[in-house]
Amino acid sequence: MAPTRTRRLAPGGSIDAHRHDDHQIVYAGRGVLTVTTSAGSWVAPATRAIWVPAGTVHAHRAYGELDLHLVGLPVTENPLGLETPTVLAVSPLLRELLIAYTRAEDDDRPERARLRAVLLDQLRASAQQPLHLPTPTTPLLRALCDILRADPADSRTLAELGHLVGASDRTLSRLFRGDLGMTFPQWRTQLRLHHALILLTERTPVTAVAHQCGWSSTSAFIEVFRRTFGHTPGSHRTE
């Protein structure tokens, strides 16, 4: 069963790969959480939660001090109709509901049933967020993506990277779309955003984050971050 409770993870802490017969909502009240499966990784700061469908083998990792709020739902109850892990926007109201519901004792009181009903209503209204970094399955893409994971600031073109792995940029572009469902620039931007969230959690200055993640300027990084998360990197560092 997927538990409903609150758990604290220290910076760098992790929960090894496991699965539940239930669905699960995973929310980090502070810090940054990553959920990883064989299909890729999903990242969530304190303004996001992650939906993990029943039967999904997944692992957790904490960046920064993490208050992990877990909500288990029966496999017969899927308020979102989602069959794959998904990042969801967390409104101020949903945040308080998740915290209250996972800290209270799990019982059959009418008050708790009403709290749960409102929580599920808020989940249904949550916008889905494109914060999935898929893991490639083809050897060529794995080799290329490993190069960029080692240095997200690497600004080489797809053609230049193709010389290193022994493939043309046309072949690699086709593989990105077919294997990962996104273009090379989209995947690299997702990688850089994931890395940026981790660096910000470690209190790295915004200008240094922009440089270490490969943006051409701090202002360009701030704009991409704001469009993706709805707030600036500076405000993220104060959460």
Side-chain angles (χ1 to χ4, degrees), residues 59-76:
H60 304 300
R61 183 172 176 82
Y63 296 94
E65 193 79 27
L66 208 71
D67 288 333
L68 196 59
H69 301 277
L70 306 168
V71 178
L73 294 173
V75 69
T76 55

Side-chain angles (χ1 to χ4, degrees), residues 147-148 153-161 164 184 188 192:
I147 292 171
L148 295 180
D154 191 328
S155 61
R156 282 177 289 189
T157 66
L158 189 58
E160 291 170 331
L161 292 167
L164 296 178
F184 169 64
R188 179 151 64 180
R192 289 175 170 177

Side-chain angles (χ1 to χ4, degrees), residues 131 151-156 185-200 205-229 233:
L131 296 175
D151 180 15
D154 191 328
S155 61
R156 282 177 289 189
Q186 288 171 333
W187 189 91
R188 179 151 64 180
T189 297
Q190 290 289 76
L191 172 68
R192 289 175 170 177
L193 285 170
H194 281 216
H195 191 55
L197 283 172
I198 293 167
L199 291 175
L200 290 167
V206 172
T207 299
V209 173
H211 174 72
Q212 292 178 40
C213 293
W215 268 277
S216 58
S217 67
T218 302
S219 59
F221 165 56
I222 291 173
E223 177 58 23
V224 172
F225 193 95
R226 185 191 60 76
R227 286 203 313 264
T228 304
F229 297 106

Side-chain angles (χ1 to χ4, degrees), residues 77-94:
E77 188 169 10
N78 188 337
L80 300 165
L82 296 172
E83 302 301 330
T84 58
T86 305
V87 175
L88 304 170
V90 174
S91 66
L93 175 56
L94 181 55

Side-chain angles (χ1 to χ4, degrees), residues 1-2 17-24 36-38 51-59 73-75 78 82-85:
M1 294 178 63
H18 61 287
R19 65 179 295 281
H20 305 292
D21 291 332
D22 304 322
H23 303 304
Q24 190 174 55
T36 302
T37 75
S38 60
W51 168 264
V52 182
T56 303
V57 178
H58 61 287
L73 294 173
V75 69
N78 188 337
L82 296 172
E83 302 301 330
T84 58

